[in-house]
Coordinates of all heavy atoms in Angstrom, one line a residue:
Chain B
M556 N 21.1 -31.1 35.3 CA 22.2 -30.9 34.5 C 22.1 -29.6 33.7 O 23.0 -29.0 33.2 CB 22.4 -32.1 33.5 CG 22.6 -33.4 34.2 SD 22.5 -34.8 33.1 CE 24.1 -35.0 32.7
N557 N 20.8 -29.2 33.5 CA 20.6 -28.0 32.8 C 21.0 -26.7 33.5 O 21.1 -25.7 33.0 CB 19.1 -27.8 32.5 CG 18.7 -28.5 31.1 OD1 19.6 -28.9 30.4 ND2 17.4 -28.5 30.8
Y558 N 21.3 -26.9 34.8 CA 21.8 -25.8 35.6 C 23.2 -25.4 35.2 O 23.7 -24.4 35.4 CB 21.7 -26.0 37.1 CG 20.4 -26.1 37.6 CD1 19.9 -27.2 38.3 CD2 19.5 -25.0 37.5 CE1 18.6 -27.2 38.8 CE2 18.2 -25.0 38.0 CZ 17.8 -26.1 38.7 OH 16.5 -26.2 39.2
T559 N 23.9 -26.4 34.6 CA 25.3 -26.2 34.1 C 25.1 -25.6 32.8 O 24.7 -26.3 31.8 CB 26.0 -27.6 34.1 OG1 25.9 -28.2 35.4 CG2 27.5 -27.3 33.9
V560 N 25.5 -24.4 32.6 CA 25.1 -23.7 31.4 C 26.4 -23.2 30.7 O 27.4 -22.7 31.4 CB 24.2 -22.5 31.8 CG1 24.0 -21.6 30.6 CG2 22.9 -22.9 32.3
Y561 N 26.4 -23.3 29.4 CA 27.5 -22.7 28.6 C 26.9 -21.5 27.9 O 25.9 -21.5 27.3 CB 27.9 -23.8 27.6 CG 28.8 -23.3 26.5 CD1 30.1 -22.8 26.9 CD2 28.5 -23.2 25.2 CE1 31.0 -22.3 26.0 CE2 29.4 -22.7 24.2 CZ 30.6 -22.3 24.6 OH 31.5 -21.8 23.7
H562 N 27.7 -20.4 28.0 CA 27.2 -19.2 27.4 C 28.4 -18.6 26.6 O 29.5 -18.4 27.2 CB 26.8 -18.2 28.5 CG 26.3 -16.9 28.0 ND1 26.1 -15.8 28.8 CD2 25.9 -16.6 26.8 CE1 25.6 -14.8 28.1 NE2 25.5 -15.3 26.8
N563 N 28.1 -18.4 25.4 CA 29.2 -17.8 24.5 C 28.7 -16.5 23.8 O 27.7 -16.5 23.2 CB 29.5 -18.9 23.4 CG 30.6 -18.4 22.5 OD1 30.8 -17.3 22.3 ND2 31.3 -19.4 21.9
K564 N 29.5 -15.5 24.0 CA 29.1 -14.2 23.4 C 30.3 -13.9 22.5 O 31.4 -13.7 22.9 CB 29.1 -13.2 24.5 CG 27.9 -12.3 24.4 CD 27.7 -11.4 25.5 CE 26.5 -10.5 25.3 NZ 26.2 -9.7 26.5
T565 N 30.0 -13.9 21.2 CA 31.1 -13.7 20.2 C 30.7 -12.5 19.3 O 29.6 -12.4 18.9 CB 31.2 -15.0 19.3 OG1 31.7 -16.1 20.2 CG2 32.3 -14.8 18.3
T566 N 31.7 -11.7 19.1 CA 31.5 -10.7 18.1 C 32.5 -10.9 17.0 O 33.6 -11.4 17.2 CB 31.8 -9.3 18.7 OG1 33.1 -9.2 19.2 CG2 30.8 -8.9 19.7
S567 N 32.0 -10.7 15.8 CA 32.8 -11.1 14.7 C 32.8 -9.9 13.7 O 31.7 -9.4 13.3 CB 32.2 -12.3 14.0 OG 32.6 -12.4 12.7
L568 N 34.0 -9.5 13.3 CA 34.1 -8.4 12.3 C 34.8 -9.0 11.1 O 35.9 -9.5 11.3 CB 34.8 -7.2 12.9 CG 35.2 -6.1 11.9 CD1 34.0 -5.3 11.5 CD2 36.3 -5.2 12.5
T569 N 34.3 -8.8 10.0 CA 35.0 -9.1 8.8 C 34.9 -7.9 7.9 O 33.9 -7.3 7.7 CB 34.5 -10.3 8.0 OG1 33.1 -10.0 7.6 CG2 34.5 -11.6 8.8
S570 N 36.1 -7.5 7.4 CA 36.0 -6.3 6.6 C 37.1 -6.4 5.5 O 38.1 -7.0 5.7 CB 36.3 -5.0 7.4 OG 37.6 -5.1 8.0
G571 N 36.8 -5.8 4.4 CA 37.7 -5.9 3.3 C 37.6 -4.6 2.4 O 36.6 -4.0 2.3
G572 N 38.7 -4.3 1.9 CA 38.8 -3.1 1.0 C 39.5 -3.5 -0.3 O 40.4 -4.4 -0.3
L573 N 39.0 -3.0 -1.4 CA 39.6 -3.3 -2.7 C 39.8 -1.9 -3.4 O 38.9 -1.2 -3.6 CB 38.7 -4.2 -3.5 CG 39.3 -4.6 -4.8 CD1 40.5 -5.5 -4.6 CD2 38.2 -5.4 -5.6
L574 N 41.1 -1.6 -3.7 CA 41.4 -0.4 -4.3 C 42.0 -0.7 -5.7 O 42.8 -1.7 -5.7 CB 42.4 0.4 -3.6 CG 42.1 0.8 -2.1 CD1 43.3 1.2 -1.3 CD2 41.1 2.0 -2.2
S575 N 41.6 0.0 -6.7 CA 42.3 -0.3 -8.0 C 42.4 1.0 -8.8 O 41.6 1.9 -8.7 CB 41.6 -1.4 -8.8 OG 40.4 -0.9 -9.3
Y576 N 43.5 1.0 -9.5 CA 43.7 2.2 -10.4 C 44.2 1.7 -11.7 O 45.1 0.9 -11.8 CB 44.7 3.1 -9.8 CG 44.8 4.4 -10.5 CD1 43.9 5.4 -10.3 CD2 45.8 4.6 -11.5 CE1 43.9 6.6 -11.0 CE2 45.8 5.8 -12.2 CZ 44.9 6.8 -12.0 OH 44.9 7.9 -12.7
Q577 N 43.6 2.2 -12.8 CA 43.9 1.8 -14.1 C 45.1 2.7 -14.5 O 44.9 3.8 -14.9 CB 42.8 2.0 -15.1 CG 42.9 1.3 -16.4 CD 42.5 -0.1 -16.4 OE1 41.6 -0.5 -15.7 NE2 43.3 -1.0 -17.2
L578 N 46.3 2.1 -14.5 CA 47.5 2.9 -14.8 C 47.5 3.2 -16.3 O 47.8 4.3 -16.7 CB 48.8 2.1 -14.4 CG 49.1 2.0 -12.9 CD1 50.3 1.0 -12.8 CD2 49.3 3.3 -12.3
L579 N 47.2 2.2 -17.0 CA 47.3 2.3 -18.5 C 46.1 1.4 -19.0 O 45.7 0.5 -18.2 CB 48.6 1.7 -19.0 CG 49.8 2.6 -18.7 CD1 51.1 1.8 -18.9 CD2 49.8 3.8 -19.7
P580 N 45.8 1.5 -20.2 CA 44.7 0.7 -20.7 C 44.9 -0.8 -20.4 O 44.0 -1.6 -20.2 CB 44.6 0.9 -22.2 CG 45.2 2.3 -22.3 CD 46.2 2.5 -21.2
V581 N 46.2 -1.2 -20.4 CA 46.5 -2.6 -20.2 C 46.9 -3.0 -18.8 O 47.1 -4.2 -18.5 CB 47.6 -3.1 -21.2 CG1 47.1 -3.0 -22.6 CG2 48.8 -2.3 -21.0
L582 N 47.1 -2.0 -18.0 CA 47.7 -2.3 -16.7 C 46.9 -1.7 -15.6 O 46.5 -0.5 -15.6 CB 49.1 -1.7 -16.7 CG 50.0 -2.1 -15.6 CD1 50.3 -3.6 -15.8 CD2 51.3 -1.3 -15.6
E583 N 46.6 -2.5 -14.6 CA 45.8 -2.1 -13.5 C 46.6 -2.4 -12.2 O 47.1 -3.5 -12.0 CB 44.4 -2.7 -13.5 CG 43.5 -2.1 -12.4 CD 42.2 -2.9 -12.3 OE1 42.2 -4.1 -12.5 OE2 41.2 -2.3 -12.1
L584 N 46.6 -1.5 -11.3 CA 47.2 -1.7 -10.0 C 46.1 -1.8 -9.0 O 45.1 -1.1 -8.9 CB 48.1 -0.5 -9.6 CG 48.8 -0.5 -8.3 CD1 49.8 -1.6 -8.3 CD2 49.4 0.9 -8.0
R585 N 46.2 -2.9 -8.2 CA 45.1 -3.2 -7.2 C 45.7 -3.4 -5.9 O 46.8 -3.9 -5.7 CB 44.3 -4.4 -7.7 CG 43.5 -4.2 -8.9 CD 42.4 -5.2 -8.9 NE 42.9 -6.6 -9.1 CZ 42.1 -7.6 -9.2 NH1 40.8 -7.5 -9.3 NH2 42.6 -8.8 -9.3
A586 N 44.9 -3.3 -4.9 CA 45.3 -3.7 -3.5 C 44.1 -4.2 -2.8 O 43.0 -3.6 -2.8 CB 45.9 -2.5 -2.8
N587 N 44.3 -5.4 -2.2 CA 43.3 -6.1 -1.4 C 43.7 -5.8 0.0 O 44.8 -6.1 0.4 CB 43.4 -7.6 -1.7 CG 42.1 -8.2 -2.1 OD1 41.1 -7.5 -2.2 ND2 42.2 -9.5 -2.5
L588 N 42.8 -5.3 0.8 CA 43.1 -5.1 2.2 C 42.0 -5.7 3.1 O 40.9 -5.7 2.7 CB 43.1 -3.6 2.5 CG 44.0 -2.7 1.6 CD1 43.6 -1.3 1.8 CD2 45.4 -3.0 1.8
G589 N 42.4 -6.3 4.2 CA 41.3 -6.9 4.9 C 41.7 -7.0 6.4 O 42.9 -7.1 6.8
Y590 N 40.7 -7.1 7.2 CA 40.9 -7.2 8.7 C 39.7 -8.0 9.2 O 38.6 -7.8 8.9 CB 40.9 -5.8 9.3 CG 41.1 -5.9 10.8 CD1 42.3 -6.3 11.4 CD2 40.0 -5.7 11.7 CE1 42.5 -6.4 12.7 CE2 40.2 -5.8 13.1 CZ 41.4 -6.1 13.6 OH 41.6 -6.2 14.9
T591 N 40.0 -9.0 10.0 CA 38.9 -9.8 10.6 C 39.3 -9.8 12.1 O 40.4 -9.8 12.5 CB 38.8 -11.2 10.1 OG1 40.0 -11.9 10.4 CG2 38.6 -11.3 8.6
N592 N 38.2 -9.9 12.9 CA 38.4 -9.9 14.3 C 37.3 -10.8 14.9 O 36.1 -10.5 14.7 CB 38.3 -8.5 14.9 CG 38.7 -8.5 16.4 OD1 39.4 -9.4 16.9 ND2 38.3 -7.5 17.1
L593 N 37.7 -11.8 15.6 CA 36.7 -12.7 16.2 C 37.0 -12.7 17.7 O 38.0 -13.2 18.1 CB 36.9 -14.1 15.6 CG 35.8 -15.1 15.7 CD1 34.6 -14.6 14.9 CD2 36.2 -16.4 15.0
Q594 N 36.0 -12.2 18.5 CA 36.2 -12.1 19.9 C 35.2 -12.8 20.6 O 34.0 -12.6 20.4 CB 36.1 -10.6 20.2 CG 36.1 -10.2 21.7 CD 37.5 -10.1 22.2 OE1 38.4 -9.5 21.6 NE2 37.7 -10.7 23.4
S595 N 35.6 -13.8 21.5 CA 34.5 -14.5 22.2 C 34.8 -14.5 23.7 O 35.9 -14.5 24.1 CB 34.4 -15.9 21.7 OG 35.5 -16.7 22.1
N596 N 33.7 -14.3 24.4 CA 33.7 -14.4 25.9 C 32.8 -15.5 26.2 O 31.6 -15.6 25.9 CB 33.1 -13.1 26.5 CG 34.1 -12.0 26.4 OD1 35.3 -12.2 26.1 ND2 33.6 -10.8 26.6
E597 N 33.3 -16.5 27.0 CA 32.5 -17.6 27.3 C 32.4 -17.8 28.8 O 33.4 -17.4 29.5 CB 33.2 -18.9 26.8 CG 33.4 -19.0 25.3 CD 34.3 -20.1 25.0 OE1 35.5 -20.0 25.3 OE2 33.8 -21.1 24.5
T598 N 31.3 -18.3 29.3 CA 31.2 -18.7 30.7 C 30.6 -20.1 30.7 O 29.8 -20.5 29.9 CB 30.4 -17.8 31.5 OG1 29.1 -17.7 30.9 CG2 31.0 -16.4 31.7
Y599 N 31.1 -20.9 31.6 CA 30.6 -22.2 31.8 C 30.4 -22.3 33.3 O 31.3 -22.3 34.1 CB 31.7 -23.2 31.3 CG 31.4 -24.6 31.4 CD1 31.3 -25.4 30.2 CD2 31.2 -25.3 32.6 CE1 31.1 -26.7 30.3 CE2 31.0 -26.6 32.7 CZ 30.9 -27.4 31.5 OH 30.7 -28.7 31.6
I600 N 29.1 -22.4 33.7 CA 28.9 -22.3 35.2 C 28.4 -23.7 35.7 O 27.6 -24.4 35.0 CB 27.9 -21.2 35.6 CG1 26.5 -21.4 34.8 CG2 28.4 -19.8 35.3 CD1 25.4 -20.7 35.5
Q601 N 28.9 -24.0 36.9 CA 28.5 -25.2 37.5 C 28.0 -24.9 38.9 O 28.8 -24.9 39.9 CB 29.7 -26.2 37.5 CG 29.3 -27.6 38.0 CD 30.0 -28.6 37.3 OE1 31.1 -28.5 36.9 NE2 29.4 -29.8 37.1
P602 N 26.7 -24.6 39.0 CA 26.2 -24.3 40.4 C 26.0 -25.5 41.3 O 26.0 -26.6 40.8 CB 24.8 -23.6 40.1 CG 24.5 -24.1 38.7 CD 25.7 -24.6 38.0
L603 N 26.0 -25.3 42.5 CA 25.7 -26.3 43.5 C 24.4 -27.0 43.2 O 24.2 -28.2 43.4 CB 25.7 -25.8 44.9 CG 27.0 -25.6 45.6 CD1 26.8 -25.1 47.0 CD2 27.8 -26.9 45.6
L604 N 23.4 -26.3 42.6 CA 22.1 -26.8 42.3 C 22.2 -28.0 41.4 O 21.3 -28.9 41.4 CB 21.3 -25.8 41.6 CG 20.4 -24.9 42.5 CD1 19.6 -23.9 41.7 CD2 19.5 -25.7 43.4
S605 N 23.3 -28.1 40.6 CA 23.4 -29.2 39.6 C 23.9 -30.5 40.3 O 23.9 -31.6 39.7 CB 24.3 -28.8 38.5 OG 25.6 -28.6 39.0
T606 N 24.3 -30.4 41.6 CA 24.8 -31.5 42.3 C 23.7 -32.2 43.1 O 22.7 -31.5 43.5 CB 25.9 -31.0 43.3 OG1 26.8 -30.2 42.5 CG2 26.7 -32.2 43.9
Q607 N 23.8 -33.5 43.4 CA 22.8 -34.1 44.2 C 22.8 -33.4 45.6 O 23.8 -33.1 46.1 CB 23.2 -35.6 44.3 CG 23.3 -36.3 43.0 CD 23.7 -37.7 43.1 OE1 24.1 -38.2 44.1 NE2 23.7 -38.4 41.9
P608 N 21.6 -33.2 46.1 CA 21.4 -32.4 47.3 C 22.3 -32.9 48.5 O 22.9 -32.0 49.1 CB 19.9 -32.6 47.7 CG 19.3 -33.0 46.4 CD 20.3 -33.8 45.6
E609 N 22.5 -34.2 48.6 CA 23.2 -34.7 49.8 C 24.7 -34.4 49.6 O 25.5 -34.5 50.6 CB 22.9 -36.1 50.0 CG 23.5 -37.1 49.0 CD 22.6 -37.4 47.8 OE1 21.7 -36.6 47.6 OE2 22.9 -38.3 47.1

Side-chain angles (χ1 to χ4, degrees):
Chain B
M556 300 170 96
N557 270 356
Y558 290 124
T559 311
V560 174
Y561 171 64
H562 183 195
N563 182 334
K564 227 173 178 172
T565 297
T566 56
S567 156
L568 170 74
T569 57
S570 62
L573 182 66
L574 300 160
S575 72
Y576 190 80
Q577 194 83 34
L578 289 174
L579 287 165
V581 294
L582 194 66
E583 190 186 36
L584 179 65
R585 290 200 297 184
N587 237 353
L588 309 165
Y590 178 76
T591 65
N592 189 20
L593 202 59
Q594 170 85 43
S595 71
N596 286 347
E597 299 168 289
T598 54
Y599 181 116
I600 58 162
Q601 187 143 32
L603 277 181
L604 269 181
S605 63
T606 312
Q607 300 177 356
E609 72 272 16

